Amino acid sequence: AYGWKMAGSTVALYLAQGAMGLPVFAGTPEKGIGLAYMVGPTGGFLMGFLLAAVAVGFLAERGWDRNILSTAGAMLIGNALIYIPCLMLLGSLIGFDKALEYGIKPFLVGDVLKLMLAALFMPMIWNVVKRMSNDK
């Protein structure tokens, strides 16, 4: 909703906090472990989050978040941009088959549900915002 610059900056700040050792990543110890965590098995996801945020923000700036089909398309692109780096890094560590089994499959159902919710609600939210700004 805020475009690619704000989306990219927000995720980059999150990654920078994690790189400094702050415990911002799920499952990290209380003191965090910084870059060691980021180059480990979940590093591909972290890189993918940045790519997805920038890409989906870019598409949102171009109105892809204004109707159900284009919002679903933007979210699908975002998910692919998360999964691809994950598969590349995790696959190089544990093998492609295991990367699919442990790095992708457990998240598919939740990601599909989130995609559907975003596709339904983002256009509705924009319609409400539009009506509220026209009422002024």
Side-chain angles (χ1 to χ4, degrees), residues 75-124:
M75 297 297 291
L76 191 59
I77 290 167
N79 275 311
L81 290 171
I82 293 170
Y83 288 154
I84 290 168
C86 167
L87 283 175
M88 290 170 52
L89 179 63
L90 193 58
S92 72
L93 296 173
I94 65 172
F96 186 74
D97 290 342
K98 286 184 181 178
L100 278 173
E101 182 69 27
Y102 301 111
I104 303 296
K105 282 185 181 180
F107 303 104
L108 287 176
V109 172
D111 285 348
V112 167
L113 290 173
K114 288 183 276 186
L115 186 151
M116 290 169 46
L117 287 171
L120 288 171
F121 287 109
M122 281 303 293
M124 288 193 312

Side-chain angles (χ1 to χ4, degrees), residues 37-68:
Y37 182 84
M38 297 178 76
V39 296
T42 60
F45 277 114
L46 297 174
M47 178 55 71
F49 293 155
L50 180 60
L51 295 172
V54 170
V56 174
F58 179 84
L59 294 172
E61 286 180 344
R62 281 139 187 86
W64 281 51
D65 58 347
R66 303 302 167 112
N67 72 62
I68 290 174

